[in-house]
Amino acid sequence: MILKSGWNRRSFLSLLGTATGSLLSPNAAVAEKKEKDEKHGIDGHPIVPIKSGLGSTGDVYKELGVTPLVNIVGTVTVIGGSVMKPEVMELMRQGNQHFVLINELEVAAGRYIEKLCKTPPGYTGLVTGGVAAGIVVGYAGMLTEDLEPRLKACPDLTGFPKTEVIIQKAHRNNFDHQVRQTGVTLVEVETKEQMINAINPKTLAMHYINIQSDRGKVSGPEMIEIAKAHNIYTFNDASADVPPKERLWEYPAQGWDFVAFSGGKDICGPQASGILIGKEKLIRWAQMNMSPQEDRIGRSSKVGKETIFALLKALELFVNQDYDEVVKNYDARAEVITKAIAKFGVAALPREFNPTALGNVTPQYSWQIDQTKLRITSQEVLHQLAETKPVGIGSLNADAGGMRGRNPEAPANQPEHHHRQPDPTKFGFAMWQLKEGEDKYIADRLVEIFSAAPKA
């Protein structure tokens, strides 16, 4: 489908790539001047256009036969998390220019994280391959310390003195699989009394899911107090909990032994990146359990030099941003859509925004369809947005349902799960992952949808 605005796939993708396009395909004159003005490293490479093979058309998604998406869903991994800024892409390129000792680079990156995240004295950082990888190497570090036989044995914990991790029942989620991956046993508790009573000589640590803070009966500070009194570790999974940026230093300052943040969500670093902040000794033990070290449980949790540099730049941009200005930008994007569809009797509802929410903090925008003017439901609108070509708008299948395994022991006639039906007159989404021009793309598509909708 070609939109009425006259945009086609090629022109739209070209617009979306404007911010980085000059990096990828400078004209000959600029390239020549750049070559004269800059000194490249002896093993560095200038940026060159791709003249043949994959990427030569400028539309690599089409070349592979997959449909790219405009992200109105959020920073979810299943559709790619977030998009890196041009400066972050440039640091990725610069990081690729030379070889380097990865362990040395990781330590230096940790020192830079210390400054950006205002870590407490005695704390440092580690760039990981996402929070899931950070959980694995963090727990492995607690288990193995710096003992070579343990480093090689994990996750076989035979003979390890401490192999149990306490977790609140209300904090169980899909990501405690990474804790269990290290071989430990999770011990579920519900109350503070149960938590204290569960502590025994084999207790290694306590695990906390920050985004589920309101579900448990024991608060984070209470857990830290209990753990310190019994000389056991604490780990806070705060993957999706920034913004606000202040949490990057507020949470470690509470006294957690480890705090993990995603680098591929609103920080907008590489999708396969994370930040592990913790006590220096523990961070060293975690690093000893990950790549480039061999014969380690975290060998598969590899982080490349390019990812490290890019993550640091993304983090720098994130902590230096003015979030009030960021929200104003989101408001402006929503206004583009509101103005375009007002003539159809589709009105903007008040913006919803809770800056102190536990995670995925961002304004939410929604619109209401006047059913006396149009006979179309919110679900039909979202379906048609998702089916937009050449670039889909959102996805009603933004989950991992297609990769769920079958359960051979499930009953033959399992009852259907009925989800609460959404309001058929209201639809909405977030603006935080839109790139330049995508608000107009959405507005144009909605004009098409409402123009074709049956009139009441």
Side-chain angles (χ1 to χ4, degrees), residues 230-351:
H230 293 83
N231 195 31
I232 57 179
Y233 300 121
T234 53
F235 192 111
N236 186 351
D237 175 354
S239 173
D241 291 48
V242 291
K245 62 187 179 184
E246 288 78 13
R247 291 174 175 171
L248 289 166
W249 43 90
E250 289 175 353
Y251 289 170
Q254 291 175 354
W256 299 98
D257 291 297
F258 280 118
V259 185
F261 299 97
S262 173
K265 294 188 183 295
D266 204 53
I267 291 176
C268 294
Q271 170 62 4
S273 69
I275 304 160
L276 191 60
I277 296 175
K279 295 179 179 177
E280 289 183 350
K281 179 175 69 174
L282 291 174
I283 289 291
R284 175 170 173 76
W285 292 348
Q287 186 178 352
M288 292 176 75
N289 274 279
M290 63 184 278
S291 181
Q293 285 59 256
E294 299 173 356
D295 199 4
R296 303 288 190 262
I297 190 173
R299 172 64 183 183
S300 60
S301 303
K302 185 178 292 186
V303 183
K305 57 189 184 298
E306 307 82 7
T307 293
I308 294 171
F309 281 107
L311 182 277
L312 293 179
K313 189 63 182 180
L315 183 61
E316 178 188 83
L317 294 172
F318 181 78
V319 298
N320 289 325
Q321 71 180 353
D322 181 341
Y323 197 66
D324 289 337
E325 288 301 315
V326 172
V327 172
K328 286 180 183 178
N329 184 33
Y330 298 159
D331 289 344
R333 292 172 179 172
E335 185 63 17
V336 169
I337 296 170
T338 296
K339 287 181 177 179
I341 60 180
K343 61 186 176 184
F344 300 101
V346 182
L349 295 170
R351 182 189 72 185

Side-chain angles (χ1 to χ4, degrees), residues 171-184:
H171 282 218
R172 295 299 304 270
N173 71 3
N174 294 338
F175 298 98
D176 62 47
H177 195 122
Q178 274 59 61
V179 184
R180 292 183 281 118
Q181 188 175 328
T182 62
V184 302

Side-chain angles (χ1 to χ4, degrees), residues 168 170-171 189-193 195 206-210 212-227 234-236 254 256 358:
Q168 295 182 70
H171 282 218
V189 299
E190 294 189 67
T191 67
K192 184 176 181 179
E193 182 180 10
M195 182 174 287
M206 294 183 178
H207 193 67
Y208 193 79
I209 310 295
N210 208 82
Q212 295 172 208
S213 297
D214 57 345
R215 301 185 193 179
K217 295 180 181 179
V218 184
S219 70
E222 286 177 312
M223 180 180 281
I224 294 170
E225 182 181 2
I226 294 168
T234 53
F235 192 111
N236 186 351
Q254 291 175 354
W256 299 98
L358 288 171

Side-chain angles (χ1 to χ4, degrees), residues 149-170:
R150 291 192 199 172
L151 286 161
K152 290 184 175 181
C154 186
D156 179 355
L157 304 186
T158 304
F160 281 50
K162 298 185 176 185
T163 59
E164 294 181 1
V165 173
I166 295 173
I167 186 171
Q168 295 182 70
K169 186 176 181 179

Side-chain angles (χ1 to χ4, degrees), residues 71-101:
N71 186 355
I72 60 173
V73 180
T75 57
V76 291
T77 300
V78 73
I79 61 170
S82 58
V83 171
M84 292 180 282
K85 293 178 173 62
E87 299 93 330
V88 178
M89 293 293 292
E90 172 60 12
L91 259 289
M92 184 168 278
R93 186 192 71 82
Q94 289 187 28
N96 183 57
Q97 290 186 61
H98 301 283
F99 295 97
V100 67
L101 293 173

